[in-house]
Amino acid sequence: MKIPSIISVTEARKRIFEILESIQTPGTHITLTENGQASGVIMSAKEFESWKETLETISDIPDITDQIKSAKKDFAAGKYLVLRDVKAKYERGKPK
C-alpha cells in the first residue's frame, strides 16, 4: 500500500516499516502530524546527509545568493562560455 506524504504519528507507528521502505526513493519524505499539525519529517539517511552537505556548502559561501543572481543576470545577457569554447581556448594556450 502506498504511503501518503502526510501521515499522523499514530498511523506512522503502525506503518513504520512501510514508511522506511517508501522513503528510500530519492526525494521522498513523509511529514508527520500531531493533532493535525506538522510535527516532524522522516527521510532516508542518504537524503538527510545530502541536505546537510548542501547546507554546509551554502554556509561556506556567505554571498552565494548574490553570486547566483549575478550568474543568472550574466546568463540572460549572453555573458557565458560553453565547455567546447573553454576547451578550445585551453588547447590553443597549451604549450606544445
Side-chain angles (χ1 to χ4, degrees), residues 12-58:
R13 281 188 193 113
K14 297 175 192 173
R15 300 175 69 181
I16 192 66
F17 292 108
E18 289 176 75
I19 290 170
L20 288 173
E21 185 177 332
S22 173
I23 61 172
Q24 299 312 309
T25 302
T28 301
H29 65 276
I30 310 291
T31 301
L32 301 178
T33 62
E34 289 182 289
N35 302 316
Q37 299 294 314
S39 62
V41 175
I42 298 177
M43 66 177 68
S44 72
K46 187 175 182 177
E47 190 84 15
F48 179 66
E49 287 302 319
S50 176
W51 276 84
K52 282 180 23 180
E53 286 178 21
T54 299
L55 290 173
E56 288 171 11
T57 300
I58 288 171

Side-chain angles (χ1 to χ4, degrees), residues 75-93:
F75 182 77
K79 296 179 185 176
Y80 61 89
L81 296 172
V82 293
L83 182 57
R84 176 187 62 243
D85 295 342
V86 173
K87 283 181 172 179
K89 186 175 181 179
Y90 173 77
E91 289 298 324
R92 282 193 303 266

